[in-house]
C-alpha cells in the first residue's frame, strides 16, 4: 500500500503527462457507466442535506456493533487446546556431554519456575541425551538427536490460569537470555499433537 | 476494468506499470528485513496485488474527468493528483487499519501473520 500510494502520487502523474493524449475523446451519447455515475451523484446529493442525522446514527450503530461483536465474538485465530502442558526441546551445541546438558536442563526448569511462579508448576518430566539402543522407547514420543538434546515436558497447575501463548513468548525470551547458546523449541503437548 | 470503463489503452498501461514496481519495492523491503520468499510472504504478496492498482486507478480516473471537462493535459494531471491526494491517503490508512489488531496478537498467530502483514503494507 505504501509503495503504490507513493507511485500514484509520483510516477503516475509523470507518466500521464508523457503518455496521455492531449485531447480527450469526446463521447457522443451517455452509456451505462454514465447513467450509473449520474445515479450515484443524485443519491449523494439526496443524502447530503441529511448528513447531520446520518453521521451520528452511523457512528452510534457502528459503535454498538463493534462493542457487541467484540464482547461475543471468538478472539482466537487458532484456538488453543486449553491444555496447561507444554514441551520444551533443548538443543545445545553439537557434541556437548550429557552431564553438561543436564545442568542446563535443570537451569531451564528453574527459569520455568521463575516465570510461571514455583507454585504454579505441578510437575516436570524430562529426558536428556540419547536413548540407549536397547532401551524400549518409541521415537514417536521421545526422540533426541544426540547427547546434546533434551526434551522436557512441563505441566502447569490447571487452576493457575496462565495465558499459555503469551507465557510461551515470555518464557522463550527468558530462556534465550538465561542460556544464550541453546535453542529452545516450545510446543504444545497433548495426545494428538506431539513433536 | 480500467480498459473497460475508461476505454483508454494508455491509461491502462500507466496503471499496470505500477504493479511490478510496487512488487519490486516490497521485494526490496523483504531483502532489507532479512525475509525470504516462503508461503507466508508470497500469500501476503498475492493478497496485495488487488489493492495495488486502486490508488493509480483513482488518480487516472480523475484525470479523465478533468480532461473531459476541457482542462489542458498538464493542468488536468496536476489538479487530479492534488484533488485525490487526501482521499487516497485516507483510503490507504483505512486498509492499513485492518492490521492494527495484529499488533496485539501473541504466540503462534503472531508468528504466522507477521510476515503476511508486512507484505500487504509494503507494496
Amino acid at each position: 500500500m505504501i509503495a503504490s500510494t507513493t507511485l500514484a502520487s509520483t510516477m503516475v502523474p509523470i507518466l500521464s503527462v508523457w503518455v496521455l493524449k492531449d485531447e480527450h475523446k469526446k463521447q457522443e451519447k451517455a452509456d451505462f457507466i454514465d447513467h450509473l455515475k449520474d445515479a450515484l451523484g443524485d443519491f449523494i446529493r439526496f443524502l447530503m442535506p441529511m448528513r447531520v442525522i446520518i453521521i451520528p446514527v452511523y457512528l452510534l450503530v457502528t459503535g454498538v456493533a463493534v462493542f457487541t461483536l467484540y464482547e461475543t465474538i471468538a478472539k482466537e485465530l487458532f484456538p488453543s487446546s486449553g491444555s496447561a502442558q507444554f514441551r520444551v526441546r533443548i538443543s545445545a551445541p553439537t557434541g556437548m556431554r550429557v552431564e553438561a546438558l543436564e545442568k542446563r536442563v535443570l537451569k531451564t526448569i528453574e527459569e520455568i519456575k521463575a516465570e510461571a511462579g514455583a507454585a504454579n508448576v505441578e510437575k516436570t518430566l524430562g529426558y536428556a541425551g540419547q536413548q540407549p539402543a536397547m532401551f524400549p522407547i518409541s521415537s514417536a514420543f521421545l526422540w533426541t538427536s544426540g547427547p546434546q538434546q533434551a526434551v522436557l515436558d512441563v505441566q502447569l497447575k490447571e487452576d493457575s490460569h496462565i495465558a499459555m501463548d503469551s507465557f510461551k513468548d515470555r518464557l522463550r525470551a527468558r530462556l534465550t537470555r538465561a542460556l544464550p547458546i541453546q535453542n529452545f523449541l516450545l510446543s504444545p503437548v497433548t495426545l494428538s499433537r506431539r513433536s | 476494468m480500467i480498459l473497460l470503463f475508461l476505454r483508454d489503452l494508455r491509461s491502462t498501461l500507466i496503471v499496470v506499470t505500477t504493479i511490478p514496481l510496487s512488487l519490486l519495492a516490497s521485494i526490496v523491503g523483504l531483502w532489507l528485513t532479512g525475509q525470504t520468499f516462503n508461503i507466508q510472504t508470497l500469500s501476503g504478496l498475492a493478497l496485495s496485488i488487488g489493492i495495488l492498482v486502486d490508488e493509480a486507478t483513482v488518480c487516472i480516473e480523475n484525470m479523465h474527468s478533468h480532461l473531459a471537462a476541457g482542462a489542458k493535459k498538464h493542468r488536468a494531471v496536476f489538479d487530479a493528483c492534488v484533488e485525490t491526494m487526501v482521499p487516497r491517503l485516507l483510503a490507504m490508512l483505512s486498509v492499513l487499519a485492518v492490521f492494527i489488531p495484529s499488533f496485539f496478537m501473541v504466540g503462534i498467530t503472531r508468528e504466522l501473520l507477521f510476515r503476511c502483514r508486512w507484505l500487504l503494507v509494503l507494496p
Side-chain angles (χ1 to χ4, degrees):
Chain A
M1 281 313 289
I2 294 167
S4 67
T5 308
T6 316
L7 284 173
S9 306
T10 53
M11 193 196 71
V12 169
I14 295 167
L15 274 182
S16 303
V17 172
W18 283 354
V19 177
L20 288 187
K21 285 179 185 158
D22 275 320
E23 69 280 359
H24 192 260
K25 233 185 325 189
K26 286 278 176 290
Q27 219 174 312
E28 289 81 29
K29 58 180 178 111
D31 60 2
F32 172 70
I33 303 295
D34 294 317
H35 288 307
L36 213 64
K37 272 158 74 176
D38 289 343
L40 182 67
D42 290 342
F43 180 64
I44 290 169
R45 267 190 289 279
F46 167 72
L47 288 181
M48 280 305 268
M50 292 186 280
R51 62 181 181 273
V52 187
I53 306 161
I54 292 171
I55 294 171
V57 168
Y58 167 77
L59 289 176
L60 189 74
V61 170
T62 45
V64 169
V66 166
F67 182 76
T68 342
L69 288 173
Y70 185 79
E71 290 297 315
T72 52
I73 209 161
K75 295 175 190 72
E76 281 177 315
L77 272 181
F78 300 101
S80 62
S81 60
S83 168
Q85 298 175 358
F86 61 93
R87 167 171 283 193
V88 190
R89 181 173 288 277
I90 303 154
S91 297
T94 309
M96 182 177 277
R97 282 180 303 115
V98 71
E99 292 85 354
L101 179 73
E102 191 187 357
K103 282 181 192 154
R104 284 159 173 78
V105 174
L106 292 173
K107 172 82 176 154
T108 306
I109 295 173
E110 277 172 31
E111 293 295 331
I112 291 169
K113 281 183 177 165
E115 188 60 50
N120 288 328
V121 181
E122 191 165 320
K123 60 186 91 143
T124 58
L125 176 69
Y127 190 93
Q130 200 165 24
Q131 306 91 36
M134 297 304 287
F135 215 61
I137 232 165
S138 168
S139 295
F141 293 98
L142 179 69
W143 180 83
T144 51
S145 65
Q148 75 282 356
Q149 214 171 59
V151 171
L152 184 68
D153 286 345
V154 182
Q155 163 81 57
L156 298 179
K157 286 225 170 89
E158 291 289 348
D159 56 358
S160 60
H161 302 299
I162 290 173
M164 288 302 280
D165 277 338
S166 51
F167 172 74
K168 279 184 196 170
D169 281 349
R170 289 200 307 275
L171 184 64
R172 201 173 283 119
R174 191 189 186 102
L175 290 176
T176 314
R177 268 199 314 274
L179 297 157
I181 52 166
Q182 264 74 241
N183 287 321
F184 296 95
L185 181 69
L186 273 75
S187 52
V189 179
T190 55
L191 278 176
S192 56
R193 291 160 79 188
R194 285 267 176 187
S195 68
Chain B
M1 290 310 277
I2 300 154
L3 195 61
L4 185 74
F5 284 102
L6 295 177
R7 279 162 300 232
D8 185 28
L9 198 64
R10 293 171 183 235
S11 308
T12 314
L13 192 76
I14 294 168
V15 174
V16 168
T17 317
T18 61
I19 299 175
L21 287 174
S22 305
L23 292 180
L24 197 66
S26 64
I27 291 168
V28 172
L30 266 183
W31 174 67
L32 286 175
T33 50
Q35 304 284 344
T36 54
F37 277 126
N38 53 47
I39 195 84
Q40 287 167 29
T41 52
L42 288 176
S43 312
L45 275 180
L47 278 172
S48 69
I49 299 277
I51 50 175
L52 280 186
V53 291
D54 291 359
E55 307 271 332
T57 310
V58 170
C59 208
I60 287 277
E61 199 280 332
N62 204 24
M63 281 173 204
H64 275 265
S65 299
H66 278 273
L67 285 171
K72 290 272 170 221
K73 190 170 74 175
H74 289 72
R75 194 75 227 171
V77 168
F78 179 75
D79 288 344
C81 287
V82 171
E83 265 178 22
T84 56
M85 195 170 282
V86 176
R88 281 190 290 116
L89 183 74
L90 290 177
M92 182 190 76
L93 292 177
S94 306
V95 172
L96 298 189
V98 175
F99 299 106
I100 291 173
S102 69
F103 287 95
F104 303 104
M105 288 172 181
V106 288
I108 193 162
T109 320
R110 184 191 163 86
E111 297 301 318
L112 277 171
L113 287 177
F114 183 79
R115 295 179 186 94
C116 192
R117 177 183 71 201
W118 284 111
L119 259 291
L120 276 169
V121 173
L122 284 173

